[in-house]
Amino acid sequence: MLYEEEKVAHIGLDDIDTPFGGCTTELAARLVLKWCRRGIELVDLPGLIRLSPTVPWKTRGNGALVIRVRAESWEEAQSLYMEAVEEAHRYVERHRHPESHPSVAMVYGKIPYSLRVLAERAVWSVLPLETLMRHIGGGGAKTMYTSIEEGKKRGLVGAFSAIGVTLLHTDYTYELTTYRRPENIGKPRRISYESVARYDAVVGDKGFLNIDPETRSVLIAPRRSPDPVLYGVRGEDPLALMKALEIIDAGEEPAMYMVYRTNQATDMHLRRIHSLGEAYPYTGVIVDAVVSSPPRRIRGGHVIMRVSDGGHSMDIAAYEPTASLRDMVEKLWVGDRIRIYGTVRPPGPRHPATINIEKIRILGLAEKVRYEAPRCPRCGHRMKSMGRNKGYRCPRCGYRDPRARKIPVVVPRPRLPEWLVPPPRAYKHLMKPLSRMGKEKKRPPEPSLIKKTLSIICRQVLSV
């Protein structure tokens, strides 16, 4: 185990960010740096847990944070928790928004099995607040929770879910996030594409989804201007990620940085189902089916087609922003066997429930056969029928063959790769790129790696 749970305070944060500014990760980073400088032991890197992207009221990336710190007693854990609540209150004062539900939660000691199960559900589906609250404190766990804005408790789902997703027995990646100085927040970012490409070349397969070579675009920076994040690079090794601090030219000096252990790029939001009948709205699914109607392009450039598993049928959609994925989906034929990875959009007034495609694996391609008149064995000209079951005659040389019949010819089709995937710019946080296939982690990182990474992080000099 990465840590002994009996004396660990798991402190979760969610919904601190707003459209007006602020970021839950920035608050977590400040707490981590504050505590480690006081000699408080972190037993893991802070966790950045992305929850289900299908949640209707989600924040931009639907990410929640957890900090796991050593606390020798319940009283010490309570003190750390209250400190986190006070920091959250001060932070939220600067970035209030009527739709935000900023929340802080804590579990001290062993995380209950029921919370782990519910947290996993929150990653691939919608977890109702009422369901979560019925299980808080179950199994004798010592818990505390606070809604920073009175009466607004929805953020508790994320705060407790971040605690419950331990990443001890599931795949994970890392992200290094840098933060802007206050005077630069809101100004355009000036990150050099060439420097990010150099960084990408240096880290090789230890990094992913940092640039889109097709459009020469940088994928590491938020699009929203008031966001305090300068950039974030993702990869397999926390120490390799830190090379970004030396190589990437961001056009400004960051105020601070933090490395997170995260479920990003793991497909954790998708679960294997056996039938399209189990593809419920607001869930992420992996399901096998057969194309049952030709793809069709609709207004807006989106491609829709019908698939079936023999017992149930459903629409699947590749939207215009997925670019090359949409174009390849359009080349599928009726009868093709495919494995669909995506999230289920609920039905609306003008459309049925639909799986929004994230990627497709081709399991088997159908053949189309057309029947052609035979060619004349004498002159090679195409022969003509002499009537039903009467054979064929050559119109050029007059050769007749009463036994001749139409010849089956396989219709050529465009070549398709085994995997149909979007370009890098169309990936969302939880989607696993092909470059990660086969690299899934089976066990938690070595404690020595965590300690070394945290040691480097805590030595940084803040610019704010």
Side-chain angles (χ1 to χ4, degrees):
M1 290 287 283
L2 185 60
Y3 48 79
E4 297 295 332
E5 293 183 297
E6 285 71 17
K7 292 187 176 181
V8 173
H10 308 267
I11 299 173
L13 311 165
D14 191 31
D15 214 8
I16 308 294
D17 54 330
T18 77
F20 301 151
C23 178
T24 308
T25 69
E26 186 187 34
L27 174 60
R30 291 183 181 279
L31 282 168
V32 167
L33 292 174
K34 182 178 181 181
W35 286 342
C36 72
R37 286 177 174 172
R38 290 215 316 256
I40 296 170
E41 180 187 354
L42 276 80
V43 297
D44 195 354
L45 292 170
L48 169 54
I49 307 301
R50 299 289 180 181
L51 305 180
S52 173
T54 66
V55 174
W57 50 83
K58 67 180 180 182
T59 54
R60 293 185 308 279
N62 212 20
L65 276 293
V66 60
I67 306 171
R68 307 184 194 274
V69 295
R70 184 80 60 196
E72 293 300 322
S73 66
W74 171 235
E75 290 71 27
E76 184 181 350
Q78 286 179 298
S79 176
L80 290 169
Y81 167 78
M82 291 308 301
E83 192 173 342
V85 171
E86 291 168 8
E87 289 285 344
H89 270 288
R90 283 194 288 269
Y91 194 86
V92 168
E93 281 296 326
R94 303 197 303 270
H95 308 291
R96 288 187 177 276
H97 189 271
E99 294 182 7
S100 293
H101 289 224
S103 303
V104 184
M106 180 180 72
V107 173
Y108 180 61
K110 187 174 177 63
I111 301 170
Y113 175 75
S114 60
L115 178 56
R116 292 174 189 257
V117 172
L118 289 172
E120 182 180 325
R121 175 178 167 185
V123 175
W124 61 262
S125 184
V126 176
L127 175 61
L129 175 63
E130 297 76 15
T131 302
L132 172 73
M133 299 309 292
R134 284 200 300 269
H135 290 83
I136 294 305
K142 293 182 177 179
T143 62
M144 297 184 74
Y145 55 88
T146 300
S147 300
I148 304 300
E149 301 277 3
E150 187 175 353
K152 295 183 176 182
K153 298 183 177 181
R154 199 169 58 213
L156 291 173
V157 173
F160 275 111
S161 295
I163 292 170
V165 178
T166 62
L167 301 179
L168 292 177
H169 308 289
T170 55
D171 189 20
Y172 57 90
T173 61
Y174 298 93
E175 176 171 323
L176 177 142
T177 306
T178 63
Y179 298 91
R180 310 185 81 177
R181 299 185 186 197
E183 64 269 22
N184 291 327
I185 295 175
K187 296 179 181 178
R189 294 174 180 82
R190 296 169 293 145
I191 299 172
S192 158
Y193 172 84
E194 287 72 19
S195 70
V196 183
R198 280 198 307 275
Y199 163 77
D200 226 34
V202 168
V203 297
D205 61 1
K206 291 183 178 180
F208 52 83
L209 296 179
N210 294 315
I211 57 172
D212 189 330
E214 181 185 340
T215 56
R216 287 183 58 82
S217 54
V218 170
L219 306 179
I220 63 175
R223 296 187 182 94
R224 194 174 67 102
S225 183
D227 197 308
V229 171
L230 178 56
Y231 66 80
V233 290
R234 292 149 285 200
E236 309 289 349
D237 181 339
L239 300 179
L241 289 180
M242 290 191 184
K243 295 179 181 177
L245 300 169
E246 304 168 8
I247 300 173
I248 292 178
D249 176 8
E252 61 187 82
E253 286 297 317
M256 65 174 177
Y257 70 88
M258 185 55 59
V259 178
Y260 303 94
R261 201 157 71 90
T262 174
N263 64 342
Q264 292 175 161
T266 63
D267 276 351
M268 188 183 281
H269 64 306
L270 307 178
R271 66 181 185 120
R272 192 77 163 86
I273 59 175
H274 302 291
S275 162
L276 289 168
E278 301 173 40
Y280 304 119
Y282 302 115
T283 62
V285 299
I286 303 171
V287 62
D288 295 351
V290 176
V291 178
S292 57
S293 70
R296 66 188 190 280
R297 192 169 288 218
I298 63 173
R299 179 180 296 180
H302 317 305
V303 170
I304 310 289
M305 65 182 177
R306 196 82 173 163
V307 296
S308 172
D309 59 13
H312 301 86
S313 294
M314 197 169 190
D315 278 357
I316 65 174
Y319 295 104
E320 188 276 335
T322 63
S324 55
L325 170 62
R326 174 205 57 181
D327 296 340
M328 288 187 287
V329 165
E330 201 169 24
K331 296 175 182 177
L332 292 172
W333 286 359
V334 172
D336 287 344
R337 294 186 298 111
I338 58 176
R339 180 164 296 157
I340 305 155
Y341 297 70
T343 55
V344 184
R345 177 187 182 190
R350 293 187 290 181
H351 62 82
T354 304
I355 299 177
N356 296 342
I357 303 168
E358 292 184 355
K359 54 180 171 274
I360 284 178
R361 186 176 187 179
I362 294 177
L363 304 178
L365 292 176
E367 283 189 348
K368 273 185 188 174
V369 177
R370 68 170 181 260
Y371 289 85
E372 298 179 348
R375 290 192 176 274
C376 175
R378 284 184 181 172
C379 68
H381 197 74
R382 185 77 68 186
M383 300 172 75
K384 291 196 179 238
S385 173
M386 295 188 295
R388 187 183 179 103
N389 296 324
K390 292 182 180 179
Y392 284 80
R393 171 183 174 277
C394 178
R396 175 181 289 174
C397 69
Y399 174 80
R400 293 169 180 260
D401 184 350
R403 293 186 300 275
R405 297 291 183 266
K406 283 189 175 182
I407 300 170
V409 177
V410 175
V411 178
R413 65 177 297 174
R415 295 189 60 147
L416 288 171
E418 178 185 0
W419 289 91
L420 310 185
V421 297
R425 62 186 178 277
Y427 273 78
K428 295 185 172 63
H429 294 292
L430 281 162
M431 291 167 58
K432 184 193 299 184
L434 290 188
S435 63
R436 291 211 67 243
M437 296 291 183
K439 295 180 182 176
E440 295 83 359
K441 300 176 182 65
K442 308 296 185 185
R443 62 187 65 182
E446 290 296 323
S448 59
L449 176 63
I450 297 299
K451 287 182 179 179
K452 184 174 182 179
T453 305
L454 284 169
S455 173
I456 297 170
I457 289 170
C458 292
R459 289 200 302 263
Q460 66 179 289
V461 178
L462 296 185
S463 300
V464 291

